[in-house]
mmCIF file of all heavy atoms in Angstrom:
data_model
loop_
_atom_site.group_PDB
_atom_site.id
_atom_site.type_symbol
_atom_site.label_atom_id
_atom_site.label_comp_id
_atom_site.label_asym_id
_atom_site.label_seq_id
_atom_site.Cartn_x
_atom_site.Cartn_y
_atom_site.Cartn_z
ATOM 1 N N ALA S 24 7.035 -14.830 18.131
ATOM 2 C CA ALA S 24 7.470 -13.489 17.745
ATOM 3 C C ALA S 24 8.878 -13.582 17.153
ATOM 4 O O ALA S 24 9.751 -14.218 17.733
ATOM 5 C CB ALA S 24 7.468 -12.555 18.943
ATOM 6 N N PRO S 25 9.119 -12.970 15.991
ATOM 7 C CA PRO S 25 10.452 -13.006 15.383
ATOM 8 C C PRO S 25 11.517 -12.411 16.307
ATOM 9 O O PRO S 25 11.316 -11.336 16.881
ATOM 10 C CB PRO S 25 10.293 -12.166 14.114
ATOM 11 C CG PRO S 25 8.838 -12.236 13.793
ATOM 12 C CD PRO S 25 8.151 -12.274 15.131
ATOM 13 N N GLU S 26 12.631 -13.104 16.456
ATOM 14 C CA GLU S 26 13.689 -12.647 17.351
ATOM 15 C C GLU S 26 14.338 -11.360 16.866
ATOM 16 O O GLU S 26 14.901 -10.604 17.666
ATOM 17 C CB GLU S 26 14.741 -13.739 17.506
ATOM 18 C CG GLU S 26 14.217 -15.003 18.183
ATOM 19 C CD GLU S 26 15.278 -16.075 18.310
ATOM 20 O OE1 GLU S 26 16.420 -15.823 17.849
ATOM 21 O OE2 GLU S 26 14.976 -17.148 18.855
ATOM 22 N N THR S 27 14.265 -11.093 15.562
ATOM 23 C CA THR S 27 14.929 -9.914 15.006
ATOM 24 C C THR S 27 14.135 -8.628 15.208
ATOM 25 O O THR S 27 14.622 -7.542 14.892
ATOM 26 C CB THR S 27 15.185 -10.102 13.497
ATOM 27 O OG1 THR S 27 13.950 -10.442 12.856
ATOM 28 C CG2 THR S 27 16.200 -11.210 13.257
ATOM 29 N N LEU S 28 12.912 -8.740 15.729
ATOM 30 C CA LEU S 28 12.060 -7.566 15.922
ATOM 31 C C LEU S 28 11.793 -7.343 17.406
ATOM 32 O O LEU S 28 11.621 -8.307 18.166
ATOM 33 C CB LEU S 28 10.723 -7.736 15.192
ATOM 34 C CG LEU S 28 10.782 -7.995 13.684
ATOM 35 C CD1 LEU S 28 9.366 -8.172 13.138
ATOM 36 C CD2 LEU S 28 11.509 -6.873 12.955
ATOM 37 N N ASP S 29 11.735 -6.074 17.825
ATOM 38 C CA ASP S 29 11.362 -5.798 19.213
ATOM 39 C C ASP S 29 9.849 -5.967 19.358
ATOM 40 O O ASP S 29 9.143 -6.278 18.391
ATOM 41 C CB ASP S 29 11.850 -4.420 19.660
ATOM 42 C CG ASP S 29 11.188 -3.251 18.918
ATOM 43 O OD1 ASP S 29 10.078 -3.418 18.389
ATOM 44 O OD2 ASP S 29 11.800 -2.161 18.889
ATOM 45 N N ASP S 30 9.342 -5.761 20.565
ATOM 46 C CA ASP S 30 7.932 -6.046 20.834
ATOM 47 C C ASP S 30 6.987 -5.226 19.958
ATOM 48 O O ASP S 30 6.014 -5.757 19.401
ATOM 49 C CB ASP S 30 7.611 -5.781 22.306
ATOM 50 C CG ASP S 30 8.284 -6.763 23.251
ATOM 51 O OD1 ASP S 30 8.685 -7.847 22.788
ATOM 52 O OD2 ASP S 30 8.409 -6.441 24.447
ATOM 53 N N ALA S 31 7.267 -3.928 19.823
ATOM 54 C CA ALA S 31 6.387 -3.067 19.036
ATOM 55 C C ALA S 31 6.415 -3.458 17.566
ATOM 56 O O ALA S 31 5.373 -3.512 16.893
ATOM 57 C CB ALA S 31 6.784 -1.601 19.206
ATOM 58 N N GLU S 32 7.594 -3.728 17.036
ATOM 59 C CA GLU S 32 7.721 -4.144 15.639
ATOM 60 C C GLU S 32 7.046 -5.487 15.415
ATOM 61 O O GLU S 32 6.369 -5.701 14.400
ATOM 62 C CB GLU S 32 9.189 -4.217 15.249
ATOM 63 C CG GLU S 32 9.890 -2.873 15.220
ATOM 64 C CD GLU S 32 11.396 -3.004 15.104
ATOM 65 O OE1 GLU S 32 11.946 -4.038 15.534
ATOM 66 O OE2 GLU S 32 12.030 -2.064 14.593
ATOM 67 N N ALA S 33 7.231 -6.403 16.372
ATOM 68 C CA ALA S 33 6.619 -7.728 16.242
ATOM 69 C C ALA S 33 5.097 -7.632 16.246
ATOM 70 O O ALA S 33 4.414 -8.286 15.448
ATOM 71 C CB ALA S 33 7.101 -8.637 17.372
ATOM 72 N N ALA S 34 4.547 -6.786 17.133
ATOM 73 C CA ALA S 34 3.094 -6.613 17.181
ATOM 74 C C ALA S 34 2.568 -6.110 15.852
ATOM 75 O O ALA S 34 1.473 -6.490 15.413
ATOM 76 C CB ALA S 34 2.711 -5.639 18.303
ATOM 77 N N ALA S 35 3.355 -5.268 15.186
ATOM 78 C CA ALA S 35 2.928 -4.680 13.918
ATOM 79 C C ALA S 35 3.170 -5.585 12.722
ATOM 80 O O ALA S 35 2.763 -5.254 11.604
ATOM 81 C CB ALA S 35 3.657 -3.345 13.699
ATOM 82 N N LEU S 36 3.813 -6.727 12.941
ATOM 83 C CA LEU S 36 4.099 -7.633 11.821
ATOM 84 C C LEU S 36 2.902 -8.499 11.455
ATOM 85 O O LEU S 36 2.818 -9.012 10.345
ATOM 86 C CB LEU S 36 5.282 -8.547 12.173
ATOM 87 C CG LEU S 36 5.739 -9.500 11.053
ATOM 88 C CD1 LEU S 36 6.506 -8.721 9.986
ATOM 89 C CD2 LEU S 36 6.607 -10.626 11.604
ATOM 90 N N HIS S 37 1.971 -8.639 12.360
ATOM 91 C CA HIS S 37 0.965 -9.683 12.215
ATOM 92 C C HIS S 37 -0.134 -9.364 11.199
ATOM 93 O O HIS S 37 -0.058 -9.796 10.044
ATOM 94 C CB HIS S 37 0.361 -9.970 13.592
ATOM 95 C CG HIS S 37 -0.368 -11.267 13.678
ATOM 96 N ND1 HIS S 37 -1.136 -11.610 14.760
ATOM 97 C CD2 HIS S 37 -0.477 -12.297 12.818
ATOM 98 C CE1 HIS S 37 -1.664 -12.807 14.568
ATOM 99 N NE2 HIS S 37 -1.296 -13.234 13.395
ATOM 100 N N VAL S 38 -1.157 -8.603 11.577
ATOM 101 C CA VAL S 38 -2.334 -8.428 10.734
ATOM 102 C C VAL S 38 -2.012 -7.730 9.413
ATOM 103 O O VAL S 38 -2.380 -8.196 8.327
ATOM 104 C CB VAL S 38 -3.439 -7.661 11.485
ATOM 105 C CG1 VAL S 38 -4.635 -7.400 10.569
ATOM 106 C CG2 VAL S 38 -3.888 -8.435 12.717
ATOM 107 N N GLY S 39 -1.320 -6.585 9.481
ATOM 108 C CA GLY S 39 -1.034 -5.824 8.264
ATOM 109 C C GLY S 39 -0.167 -6.571 7.270
ATOM 110 O O GLY S 39 -0.424 -6.545 6.057
ATOM 111 N N TYR S 40 0.858 -7.241 7.761
ATOM 112 C CA TYR S 40 1.756 -7.965 6.854
ATOM 113 C C TYR S 40 1.138 -9.268 6.370
ATOM 114 O O TYR S 40 1.348 -9.678 5.222
ATOM 115 C CB TYR S 40 3.105 -8.217 7.543
ATOM 116 C CG TYR S 40 3.996 -7.002 7.523
ATOM 117 C CD1 TYR S 40 3.871 -6.016 8.489
ATOM 118 C CD2 TYR S 40 4.937 -6.817 6.516
ATOM 119 C CE1 TYR S 40 4.667 -4.883 8.465
ATOM 120 C CE2 TYR S 40 5.745 -5.688 6.480
ATOM 121 C CZ TYR S 40 5.604 -4.725 7.455
ATOM 122 O OH TYR S 40 6.394 -3.597 7.422
ATOM 123 N N GLN S 41 0.375 -9.932 7.239
ATOM 124 C CA GLN S 41 -0.349 -11.119 6.772
ATOM 125 C C GLN S 41 -1.334 -10.723 5.679
ATOM 126 O O GLN S 41 -1.435 -11.388 4.640
ATOM 127 C CB GLN S 41 -1.084 -11.771 7.937
ATOM 128 C CG GLN S 41 -0.203 -12.533 8.906
ATOM 129 C CD GLN S 41 -0.231 -14.032 8.678
ATOM 130 O OE1 GLN S 41 -1.082 -14.557 7.962
ATOM 131 N NE2 GLN S 41 0.713 -14.741 9.277
ATOM 132 N N THR S 42 -2.044 -9.619 5.896
ATOM 133 C CA THR S 42 -2.994 -9.133 4.891
ATOM 134 C C THR S 42 -2.274 -8.820 3.589
ATOM 135 O O THR S 42 -2.737 -9.180 2.497
ATOM 136 C CB THR S 42 -3.725 -7.889 5.407
ATOM 137 O OG1 THR S 42 -4.448 -8.230 6.601
ATOM 138 C CG2 THR S 42 -4.700 -7.358 4.376
ATOM 139 N N GLY S 43 -1.135 -8.146 3.687
ATOM 140 C CA GLY S 43 -0.365 -7.816 2.498
ATOM 141 C C GLY S 43 0.135 -9.051 1.766
ATOM 142 O O GLY S 43 0.047 -9.136 0.534
ATOM 143 N N TRP S 44 0.648 -10.020 2.513
ATOM 144 C CA TRP S 44 1.186 -11.240 1.896
ATOM 145 C C TRP S 44 0.068 -12.012 1.193
ATOM 146 O O TRP S 44 0.225 -12.429 0.040
ATOM 147 C CB TRP S 44 1.855 -12.113 2.956
ATOM 148 C CG TRP S 44 2.596 -13.287 2.393
ATOM 149 C CD1 TRP S 44 3.908 -13.347 2.023
ATOM 150 C CD2 TRP S 44 2.053 -14.596 2.132
ATOM 151 N NE1 TRP S 44 4.219 -14.599 1.543
ATOM 152 C CE2 TRP S 44 3.106 -15.388 1.603
ATOM 153 C CE3 TRP S 44 0.801 -15.177 2.287
ATOM 154 C CZ2 TRP S 44 2.928 -16.727 1.239
ATOM 155 C CZ3 TRP S 44 0.616 -16.509 1.920
ATOM 156 C CH2 TRP S 44 1.672 -17.264 1.413
ATOM 157 N N PHE S 45 -1.064 -12.194 1.866
ATOM 158 C CA PHE S 45 -2.170 -12.920 1.247
ATOM 159 C C PHE S 45 -2.710 -12.151 0.048
ATOM 160 O O PHE S 45 -3.045 -12.741 -0.983
ATOM 161 C CB PHE S 45 -3.288 -13.169 2.268
ATOM 162 C CG PHE S 45 -3.085 -14.407 3.097
ATOM 163 C CD1 PHE S 45 -2.399 -14.342 4.302
ATOM 164 C CD2 PHE S 45 -3.546 -15.637 2.671
ATOM 165 C CE1 PHE S 45 -2.199 -15.473 5.076
ATOM 166 C CE2 PHE S 45 -3.359 -16.785 3.429
ATOM 167 C CZ PHE S 45 -2.673 -16.703 4.643
ATOM 168 N N GLY S 46 -2.824 -10.833 0.186
ATOM 169 C CA GLY S 46 -3.357 -10.030 -0.909
ATOM 170 C C GLY S 46 -2.472 -10.051 -2.137
ATOM 171 O O GLY S 46 -2.947 -10.236 -3.268
ATOM 172 N N LEU S 47 -1.180 -9.882 -1.926
ATOM 173 C CA LEU S 47 -0.258 -9.784 -3.061
ATOM 174 C C LEU S 47 0.130 -11.137 -3.624
ATOM 175 O O LEU S 47 0.238 -11.299 -4.851
ATOM 176 C CB LEU S 47 1.000 -9.020 -2.640
ATOM 177 C CG LEU S 47 0.781 -7.568 -2.193
ATOM 178 C CD1 LEU S 47 2.114 -6.927 -1.826
ATOM 179 C CD2 LEU S 47 0.071 -6.764 -3.270
ATOM 180 N N HIS S 48 0.338 -12.114 -2.760
ATOM 181 C CA HIS S 48 0.846 -13.407 -3.228
ATOM 182 C C HIS S 48 -0.248 -14.467 -3.415
ATOM 183 O O HIS S 48 -0.251 -15.167 -4.428
ATOM 184 C CB HIS S 48 1.925 -13.918 -2.269
ATOM 185 C CG HIS S 48 3.153 -13.064 -2.245
ATOM 186 N ND1 HIS S 48 3.999 -12.958 -3.321
ATOM 187 C CD2 HIS S 48 3.656 -12.253 -1.287
ATOM 188 C CE1 HIS S 48 4.984 -12.124 -3.033
ATOM 189 N NE2 HIS S 48 4.796 -11.684 -1.800
ATOM 190 N N ARG S 49 -1.149 -14.577 -2.475
ATOM 191 C CA ARG S 49 -2.184 -15.611 -2.571
ATOM 192 C C ARG S 49 -3.305 -15.206 -3.530
ATOM 193 O O ARG S 49 -3.779 -16.021 -4.320
ATOM 194 C CB ARG S 49 -2.756 -15.871 -1.173
ATOM 195 C CG ARG S 49 -3.806 -16.980 -1.122
ATOM 196 C CD ARG S 49 -3.176 -18.351 -1.247
ATOM 197 N NE ARG S 49 -4.192 -19.396 -1.157
ATOM 198 C CZ ARG S 49 -3.919 -20.693 -1.228
ATOM 199 N NH1 ARG S 49 -2.663 -21.087 -1.378
ATOM 200 N NH2 ARG S 49 -4.880 -21.587 -1.153
ATOM 201 N N ARG S 50 -3.727 -13.949 -3.459
ATOM 202 C CA ARG S 50 -4.852 -13.516 -4.273
ATOM 203 C C ARG S 50 -4.420 -12.945 -5.621
ATOM 204 O O ARG S 50 -4.906 -13.365 -6.656
ATOM 205 C CB ARG S 50 -5.687 -12.466 -3.506
ATOM 206 C CG ARG S 50 -6.225 -12.955 -2.166
ATOM 207 C CD ARG S 50 -7.277 -14.045 -2.317
ATOM 208 N NE ARG S 50 -8.563 -13.471 -2.714
ATOM 209 C CZ ARG S 50 -9.328 -13.948 -3.699
ATOM 210 N NH1 ARG S 50 -8.929 -14.998 -4.407
ATOM 211 N NH2 ARG S 50 -10.475 -13.390 -3.976
ATOM 212 N N ALA S 51 -3.491 -11.989 -5.615
ATOM 213 C CA ALA S 51 -3.130 -11.315 -6.869
ATOM 214 C C ALA S 51 -1.996 -12.003 -7.624
ATOM 215 O O ALA S 51 -1.774 -11.700 -8.794
ATOM 216 C CB ALA S 51 -2.742 -9.863 -6.577
ATOM 217 N N ARG S 52 -1.272 -12.906 -6.953
ATOM 218 C CA ARG S 52 -0.159 -13.613 -7.601
ATOM 219 C C ARG S 52 0.836 -12.625 -8.221
ATOM 220 O O ARG S 52 1.234 -12.756 -9.385
ATOM 221 C CB ARG S 52 -0.673 -14.586 -8.665
ATOM 222 C CG ARG S 52 -1.748 -15.548 -8.177
ATOM 223 C CD ARG S 52 -1.216 -16.566 -7.186
ATOM 224 N NE ARG S 52 -2.255 -17.487 -6.738
ATOM 225 C CZ ARG S 52 -2.063 -18.483 -5.870
ATOM 226 N NH1 ARG S 52 -0.873 -18.664 -5.342
ATOM 227 N NH2 ARG S 52 -3.062 -19.265 -5.519
ATOM 228 N N LEU S 53 1.239 -11.651 -7.446
ATOM 229 C CA LEU S 53 2.200 -10.648 -7.899
ATOM 230 C C LEU S 53 3.504 -11.308 -8.336
ATOM 231 O O LEU S 53 4.033 -12.180 -7.640
ATOM 232 C CB LEU S 53 2.483 -9.654 -6.765
ATOM 233 C CG LEU S 53 3.501 -8.558 -7.046
ATOM 234 C CD1 LEU S 53 2.963 -7.575 -8.072
ATOM 235 C CD2 LEU S 53 3.869 -7.833 -5.746
ATOM 236 N N GLU S 54 4.017 -10.883 -9.484
ATOM 237 C CA GLU S 54 5.252 -11.436 -10.015
ATOM 238 C C GLU S 54 6.338 -10.375 -10.077
ATOM 239 O O GLU S 54 6.056 -9.172 -10.199
ATOM 240 C CB GLU S 54 5.026 -12.007 -11.420
ATOM 241 C CG GLU S 54 4.038 -13.164 -11.473
ATOM 242 C CD GLU S 54 3.868 -13.704 -12.883
ATOM 243 O OE1 GLU S 54 4.566 -13.211 -13.796
ATOM 244 O OE2 GLU S 54 3.027 -14.607 -13.070
ATOM 245 N N ALA S 55 7.590 -10.819 -9.981
ATOM 246 C CA ALA S 55 8.722 -9.907 -10.105
ATOM 247 C C ALA S 55 8.658 -9.204 -11.455
ATOM 248 O O ALA S 55 8.326 -9.811 -12.476
ATOM 249 C CB ALA S 55 10.038 -10.674 -9.973
ATOM 250 N N GLY S 56 8.934 -7.910 -11.458
ATOM 251 C CA GLY S 56 8.897 -7.131 -12.686
ATOM 252 C C GLY S 56 7.569 -6.465 -12.953
ATOM 253 O O GLY S 56 7.484 -5.585 -13.825
ATOM 254 N N GLU S 57 6.518 -6.852 -12.229
ATOM 255 C CA GLU S 57 5.220 -6.200 -12.405
ATOM 256 C C GLU S 57 5.190 -4.870 -11.653
ATOM 257 O O GLU S 57 6.029 -4.600 -10.784
ATOM 258 C CB GLU S 57 4.094 -7.112 -11.919
ATOM 259 C CG GLU S 57 3.837 -8.309 -12.820
ATOM 260 C CD GLU S 57 2.559 -9.034 -12.492
ATOM 261 O OE1 GLU S 57 2.311 -9.306 -11.291
ATOM 262 O OE2 GLU S 57 1.791 -9.343 -13.431
ATOM 263 N N THR S 58 4.193 -4.056 -11.995
ATOM 264 C CA THR S 58 4.010 -2.775 -11.322
ATOM 265 C C THR S 58 2.883 -2.907 -10.309
ATOM 266 O O THR S 58 1.778 -3.341 -10.637
ATOM 267 C CB THR S 58 3.676 -1.665 -12.334
ATOM 268 O OG1 THR S 58 4.787 -1.481 -13.215
ATOM 269 C CG2 THR S 58 3.404 -0.351 -11.607
ATOM 270 N N LEU S 59 3.187 -2.520 -9.065
ATOM 271 C CA LEU S 59 2.224 -2.552 -7.972
ATOM 272 C C LEU S 59 1.907 -1.121 -7.553
ATOM 273 O O LEU S 59 2.815 -0.330 -7.298
ATOM 274 C CB LEU S 59 2.816 -3.314 -6.782
ATOM 275 C CG LEU S 59 2.084 -3.173 -5.434
ATOM 276 C CD1 LEU S 59 0.704 -3.819 -5.495
ATOM 277 C CD2 LEU S 59 2.932 -3.782 -4.315
ATOM 278 N N LEU S 60 0.629 -0.796 -7.484
ATOM 279 C CA LEU S 60 0.192 0.500 -6.971
ATOM 280 C C LEU S 60 -0.438 0.282 -5.605
ATOM 281 O O LEU S 60 -1.310 -0.579 -5.447
ATOM 282 C CB LEU S 60 -0.808 1.154 -7.922
ATOM 283 C CG LEU S 60 -1.250 2.581 -7.586
ATOM 284 C CD1 LEU S 60 -1.626 3.339 -8.851
ATOM 285 C CD2 LEU S 60 -2.445 2.587 -6.616
ATOM 286 N N VAL S 61 0.019 1.052 -4.625
ATOM 287 C CA VAL S 61 -0.496 0.925 -3.258
ATOM 288 C C VAL S 61 -1.132 2.246 -2.834
ATOM 289 O O VAL S 61 -0.465 3.281 -2.793
ATOM 290 C CB VAL S 61 0.627 0.563 -2.272
ATOM 291 C CG1 VAL S 61 0.075 0.457 -0.850
ATOM 292 C CG2 VAL S 61 1.314 -0.742 -2.682
ATOM 293 N N HIS S 62 -2.420 2.210 -2.535
ATOM 294 C CA HIS S 62 -3.092 3.383 -1.996
ATOM 295 C C HIS S 62 -2.781 3.490 -0.498
ATOM 296 O O HIS S 62 -2.574 2.483 0.180
ATOM 297 C CB HIS S 62 -4.604 3.276 -2.192
ATOM 298 C CG HIS S 62 -5.044 3.449 -3.608
ATOM 299 N ND1 HIS S 62 -5.028 4.673 -4.250
ATOM 300 C CD2 HIS S 62 -5.512 2.554 -4.525
ATOM 301 C CE1 HIS S 62 -5.472 4.535 -5.488
ATOM 302 N NE2 HIS S 62 -5.771 3.256 -5.681
ATOM 303 N N ALA S 63 -2.744 4.725 0.012
ATOM 304 C CA ALA S 63 -2.410 4.981 1.421
ATOM 305 C C ALA S 63 -1.085 4.312 1.774
ATOM 306 O O ALA S 63 -0.962 3.610 2.773
ATOM 307 C CB ALA S 63 -3.521 4.494 2.341
ATOM 308 N N ALA S 64 -0.095 4.555 0.937
ATOM 309 C CA ALA S 64 1.178 3.834 1.029
ATOM 310 C C ALA S 64 1.966 4.140 2.296
ATOM 311 O O ALA S 64 2.851 3.365 2.664
ATOM 312 C CB ALA S 64 2.035 4.151 -0.199
ATOM 313 N N ALA S 65 1.680 5.254 2.967
ATOM 314 C CA ALA S 65 2.417 5.601 4.179
ATOM 315 C C ALA S 65 1.718 5.122 5.445
ATOM 316 O O ALA S 65 2.240 5.280 6.544
ATOM 317 C CB ALA S 65 2.630 7.113 4.261
ATOM 318 N N GLY S 66 0.531 4.528 5.296
ATOM 319 C CA GLY S 66 -0.211 4.046 6.454
ATOM 320 C C GLY S 66 0.268 2.680 6.917
ATOM 321 O O GLY S 66 1.177 2.086 6.345
ATOM 322 N N GLY S 67 -0.373 2.161 7.955
ATOM 323 C CA GLY S 67 0.041 0.874 8.498
ATOM 324 C C GLY S 67 -0.117 -0.268 7.519
ATOM 325 O O GLY S 67 0.801 -1.064 7.305
ATOM 326 N N VAL S 68 -1.282 -0.375 6.895
ATOM 327 C CA VAL S 68 -1.534 -1.445 5.925
ATOM 328 C C VAL S 68 -0.742 -1.199 4.644
ATOM 329 O O VAL S 68 -0.112 -2.113 4.099
ATOM 330 C CB VAL S 68 -3.043 -1.534 5.619
ATOM 331 C CG1 VAL S 68 -3.312 -2.526 4.495
ATOM 332 C CG2 VAL S 68 -3.802 -1.950 6.868
ATOM 333 N N GLY S 69 -0.754 0.042 4.161
ATOM 334 C CA GLY S 69 -0.056 0.361 2.923
ATOM 335 C C GLY S 69 1.441 0.196 3.016
ATOM 336 O O GLY S 69 2.082 -0.307 2.087
#
């Protein structure tokens, strides 16, 4: 668990952020300067 995050924040770092990182970087290869549209942007995954 990252030392900079409390327990609740750390719990929330795992699935949603891993999904986001793999989706944006591994699958879509998002580059600086591109435009990203996120549906349900205020939700946990978004």
Side-chain angles (χ1 to χ4, degrees):
E26 296 179 359
T27 54
L28 303 179
D29 65 23
D30 292 340
E32 293 168 333
L36 183 75
H37 197 190
V38 176
Y40 280 84
Q41 286 260 347
T42 300
W44 188 91
F45 275 90
L47 298 181
H48 295 293
R49 183 74 178 180
R50 302 292 283 133
R52 308 291 181 180
L53 178 68
E54 297 181 3
E57 289 192 313
T58 296
L59 166 67
L60 186 151
V61 179
H62 288 288
V68 173

